Amino acid sequence: MRKLIKFLSPYKGRIGIMLLLLFIQVIGTLFIPTLTADIVNNGIATGNLDYVWKIGGFMLVIAVATAVFSICGTYTSTHISTSLGKDIRGALFRKAQDFSVNDFNKFGAASLITRSTSDVTQIQTAFSIVVEMLLPAPFMAVAGLVLAFSKNASLAFMVVAFMIVILIATVFVAKKVIPLFDKMQTSLDSINRTVRESIIGVRVIRAFNRAKDSKERMDKSFEGYAAIAIKANKIFAMLMPMIMMVMNILTVLLVWFGGKQVAAGGMEIGDIMAIIEYAMLTLFYLIMGAASFIFIPRAQTCAKRINTVLDMVPEFEGVQKIDNYIHANGKTKVEFKDVTFRYADAEEAVLHNISFAVEGGTTTAIIGSTGSGKSTIASLIMRFYDIASGNLLVDGKDVREYSQAELRDKIGYVPQKAFLFSGTIADTLRHGKKEATEEEMLHACKIAQIDDFILTAEDGFQHRVSQGGNNFSGGQKQRLSIARAVIKKPDIYIFDDSFSALDFKTDAKLRAALKDEVGDSAVIIVAQRISTILDADQIVVLDEGKIVGKGTHRDLLENCPVYQQIAHSQMSEEELG
C-alpha cells in the first residue's frame, strides 16, 4: 500500500484543498441545527418578518455555501482518483513492457488485465469513498459530540453508546466480508481467463460444435463470482436495516428522556431537536465511514496484487557482463555457440549444444520436424527467453549484454502467427519505422507483394485494419507483417515460418525481391517448406533439439538423412533433380 501512496505525492496540494473543503462542509452542516434550536428556543415575535428574512436568508446562504463546498470537494476527489488510476495503469503497462515471456506466464494475461482494470478501479473507488465518507467522519463525530455535550451531557452519552454499538456491528461485518473480497478478485481473474479463451478460440469452439460446453464452462465461472458477491451483499443487506433500526431507537430514546427533562425544566425543546440532528448527522457519517472502511481491505488486496507486478524484478532487467566468450569477427551478425535451452520448469532441454553462425549478406534457413525447436531459436535471438548455457552473439556481443531495446532495434521480426494492430495500414507499417514516408511504405509493400492491394484500395494506406487484422486474409496479414519488418531496414531479418500462407508464385516473387533488398543484413528463415529455402546459403537441420545437418540444399540431400526424408515427403524426384 505504501508504494501506491507514492502515486498520490504529485497531488499533495489538491489533497490539502480537498480536506479544507470537507472541513468547511462539516462545519456548515452542523451550524444549521444550532440556528434551528435557537429559533425554537427563543421563538419569533408576531409580525417580525425582518427576523424571518434575516435568519432564513442566513440559513439559505449557509446551505448553498455548504453545497458548493461539497461539490468542489467531490470534484477534487474525483479528479485525484481518476488521475491516480491513470498513473497506476501507466506504471503497470510500462512495467509489463520489461517482462520476459516467463515473467508474463507467472501472472497470465487474464490476471494482468484484471489488475490493470478491476483492481485499479477498486483502488480508485476506495480512495473516493475514503475521502468523501471516511475522512469527514472524525470531524463530524468530534464536532457533533462537542455540540451535543454543550446542550445536554446525559443525552450526549446516549449518542456515544449507540456509536459504540454501530462500530462493534461494523467490525463484525468486516470480519465476515473481507475474506469474500479476496475471493471475488481471484474469481475475476478466472472470469477474464475463461472469457478471453472463449473469444479467441471461438472458431475452434464452433468447428467442434462445443458451444454448449463452452457456455457451461463460462456459466460456472460466472456463478462462482456471483455466489461470492451475493453472500457479501446479503451481509450488507442485513447491516443497513439494523443500523436504521438503531438510529430510530436512538431518536425515540432522545425524545423520551429529553421530553422528561423539558417537563422538569432541565432543558428546552429546541435543544432536543438540535441533539437529535447532531446524533443523526454524527451516526450517519459514522456509518458511512465505517462502511467505507470495509472497502479499504478490498483495496489493500488489490494494492497487493498490483504491487506484486510493480515489485517484480524482470528476468532481463538491465544488462549483464559476459566474459566467457571470444568476440566474433565484424562480419558475423548472429552466432550460436554450444547453446542449450530449456523452458521454465521443464525437465528436458528443448535445444542441445546448438552451434552455427549467420554472416551478414547471407541467408540461413532452419528446418526440421514439428517440435524440433525451430521457432525457439528465433525467440532466443529476440531474447524472449534466456539460454541455459553457451553463448548467443549478435554482432560479436552476447545478447545478455544488450538492453532489450538496443537488441531489438537491430532485428526485423516476422512472427509465425501474423498479428496486426487495429488502426490503418499506415499505422501497421509504422510499427516498423515510426516516421516512414508514403514512398518508403510503398517500397516495402512492393517487396512484400501487397502493393497491388493497397493501390487498388479506395483509401490506400488509410485502409482500416480491424483488431488482429481479422478483415484480411492469412496471406495478406503475412505480407503486411513482412512489409512491417522490411520498412525497418534492420541488421538482422527473422522470418519465423512467415511464408506458409503464400502461394508458390507469390512466395518466389517475394523472396526474389527480398534478396535484392536485404544487402548486408543477415537473414534467418524458419521454414516448413523446402521450396522456400532452396537458395539459402546455409540450411540448419534440427531433429529433437539437435543439429543433425548443416550446409546447402545439395549438400544436405547427399549427407543428411533427416533432410532427405523431409525433401522426399514434399518434392518429387524431378524437382529434387
Side-chain angles (χ1 to χ4, degrees):
M1 201 73 177
R2 290 178 183 175
K3 189 158 191 169
L4 292 182
I5 291 174
K6 291 180 181 178
F7 284 100
L8 290 171
S9 58
Y11 308 104
K12 287 179 181 177
R14 289 181 179 271
I15 291 173
I17 293 171
M18 179 183 61
L19 293 176
L20 178 62
L21 292 171
L22 289 173
F23 179 75
I24 295 172
Q25 176 189 342
V26 168
I27 298 301
T29 303
L30 288 171
F31 192 69
I32 292 178
T34 303
L35 284 176
T36 305
D38 289 339
I39 293 171
V40 172
N41 289 337
N42 298 325
I44 301 174
T46 304
N48 191 0
L49 295 179
D50 289 340
Y51 180 81
V52 173
W53 282 109
K54 181 180 176 181
I55 299 299
F58 187 51
M59 293 176 69
L60 180 62
V61 169
I62 292 174
V64 171
T66 302
V68 170
F69 283 122
S70 176
I71 292 169
C72 292
T74 302
Y75 173 82
T76 307
S77 158
T78 304
H79 177 78
I80 295 172
S81 67
T82 52
S83 299
L84 175 67
K86 178 199 70 175
D87 293 344
I88 295 173
R89 288 191 177 98
L92 285 169
F93 180 79
R94 289 190 296 273
K95 187 72 174 185
Q97 297 305 299
D98 295 330
F99 283 172
S100 68
V101 176
N102 289 331
D103 294 333
F104 272 111
N105 291 339
K106 288 177 184 177
F107 296 104
S111 182
L112 285 172
I113 291 170
T114 303
R115 291 168 205 247
S116 300
T117 52
S118 176
D119 285 6
V120 176
T121 300
Q122 291 301 328
I123 290 172
Q124 286 181 257
T125 303
F127 176 81
S128 295
I129 290 175
V130 165
V131 166
E132 295 177 27
M133 296 184 180
L134 182 59
L135 290 184
F139 294 152
M140 184 64 76
V142 172
L145 287 176
V146 168
L147 291 171
F149 274 102
S150 69
K151 298 294 183 183
N152 188 284
S154 59
L155 296 183
F157 275 117
M158 290 176 60
V159 177
V160 173
F162 275 81
M163 287 172 65
I164 294 171
V165 170
I166 289 174
L167 287 174
I168 292 172
T170 303
V171 170
F172 174 77
V173 170
K175 286 185 177 180
K176 296 287 185 181
V177 171
I178 289 170
L180 298 179
F181 287 155
D182 294 342
K183 293 179 181 179
M184 284 172 71
Q185 294 306 117
T186 305
S187 295
L188 273 177
D189 283 348
S190 176
I191 288 173
N192 277 336
R193 189 181 306 112
T194 306
V195 172
R196 183 173 179 270
E197 287 179 353
S198 298
I199 292 173
I200 292 173
V202 65
R203 293 185 181 182
V204 177
I205 292 169
R206 290 175 179 174
F208 287 90
N209 199 24
R210 305 290 289 183
K212 184 178 179 181
D213 294 330
S214 178
K215 183 179 181 301
E216 289 175 354
R217 184 165 169 256
M218 283 200 294
D219 286 346
K220 188 175 180 181
S221 65
F222 297 155
E223 287 168 2
Y225 179 83
I228 298 170
I230 289 170
K231 189 173 181 180
N233 286 328
K234 281 182 177 178
I235 295 173
F236 279 115
M238 293 170 59
L239 178 65
M240 293 312 294
M242 182 186 73
I243 288 174
M244 293 304 298
M245 182 180 69
V246 168
M247 291 178 69
N248 289 331
I249 290 173
L250 175 61
T251 302
V252 170
L253 292 175
L254 289 174
V255 172
W256 176 268
F257 288 103
K260 286 188 174 183
Q261 292 193 41
V262 169
M267 63 183 301
E268 298 186 56
I269 295 175
D271 293 337
I272 297 177
M273 294 176 60
I275 290 176
I276 291 173
E277 286 289 330
Y278 298 148
M280 293 303 102
L281 286 171
T282 302
L283 290 181
F284 173 78
Y285 273 88
L286 183 67
I287 291 164
M288 292 299 101
S292 65
F293 190 78
I294 292 174
F295 287 92
I296 292 177
R298 184 173 187 180
Q300 285 181 317
T301 299
C302 296
K304 287 177 184 176
R305 286 161 52 86
I306 290 170
N307 278 335
T308 303
V309 178
L310 296 179
D311 290 340
M312 183 173 180
V313 178
E315 185 180 6
F316 304 152
E317 185 175 54
V319 297
Q320 303 173 35
K321 183 63 180 174
I322 310 297
D323 296 318
N324 61 336
Y325 70 88
I326 301 172
H327 284 276
N329 62 62
K331 193 177 181 183
T332 301
K333 298 291 185 181
V334 180
E335 184 174 5
F336 282 74
K337 288 186 173 184
D338 295 320
V339 170
T340 296
F341 169 75
R342 64 172 51 83
Y343 288 104
D345 302 324
E347 295 181 1
E348 295 293 328
V350 179
L351 299 174
H352 306 267
N353 302 317
I354 301 297
S355 295
F356 70 90
V358 185
E359 295 187 353
T362 66
T363 297
T364 293
I366 302 171
I367 196 167
S369 58
T370 302
S372 59
K374 304 185 298 297
S375 293
T376 301
I377 286 179
S379 297
L380 291 178
I381 298 171
M382 292 290 295
R383 208 186 175 202
F384 292 153
Y385 304 96
D386 252 350
I387 60 178
S389 63
N391 294 110
L392 170 53
L393 314 181
V394 170
D395 288 340
K397 183 178 173 181
D398 195 288
V399 293
R400 289 166 288 185
E401 288 197 332
Y402 287 100
S403 68
Q404 293 188 60
E406 184 185 5
L407 173 65
R408 290 165 189 167
D409 274 344
K410 293 176 173 288
I411 300 171
Y413 177 59
V414 185
Q416 189 173 22
K417 183 180 179 182
F419 182 86
L420 305 179
F421 292 95
S422 57
T424 64
I425 290 177
D427 295 333
T428 294
L429 296 177
R430 284 177 178 143
H431 270 89
K433 185 178 180 181
K434 189 174 181 180
E435 306 298 332
T437 63
E438 235 180 74
E439 290 76 13
E440 289 175 313
M441 290 190 287
L442 184 60
H443 176 69
C445 290
K446 282 181 179 178
I447 293 168
Q449 307 301 307
I450 197 163
D451 56 311
D452 288 346
F453 170 78
I454 293 169
L455 292 172
T456 55
E458 184 179 343
D459 39 8
F461 287 109
Q462 299 308 310
H463 188 78
R464 297 300 302 174
V465 179
S466 66
Q467 188 175 17
N470 292 329
N471 57 331
F472 291 93
S473 68
Q476 288 172 330
K477 285 196 287 186
Q478 275 197 343
R479 282 178 284 164
L480 281 172
S481 296
I482 292 168
R484 181 175 59 194
V486 168
I487 202 171
K488 188 177 180 180
K489 296 187 181 297
D491 294 335
I492 301 164
Y493 288 88
I494 300 177
F495 299 97
D496 187 1
D497 197 17
S498 308
F499 308 106
S500 58
L502 307 181
D503 60 81
F504 287 100
K505 181 180 177 182
T506 303
D507 185 357
K509 290 172 68 177
L510 192 155
R511 284 186 288 110
L514 192 61
K515 189 172 184 180
D516 296 331
E517 175 70 16
V518 295
D520 291 333
S521 299
V523 180
I524 299 170
I525 300 175
V526 175
Q528 299 280 2
R529 296 193 317 219
I530 283 183
S531 60
T532 302
I533 59 173
L534 289 174
D535 298 328
D537 300 291
Q538 175 183 226
I539 299 174
V540 176
V541 185
L542 293 180
D543 186 40
E544 296 183 356
K546 299 176 182 177
I547 294 179
V548 295
K550 190 164 38 174
T552 64
H553 171 67
R554 287 294 167 194
D555 294 337
L556 294 171
L557 279 178
E558 294 177 5
N559 55 38
C560 181
V562 174
Y563 187 80
Q564 291 169 3
Q565 184 179 6
I566 296 171
H568 285 294
S569 68
Q570 295 184 10
M571 306 176 75
S572 66
E573 292 295 333
E574 292 180 359
E575 289 173 316
L576 291 172

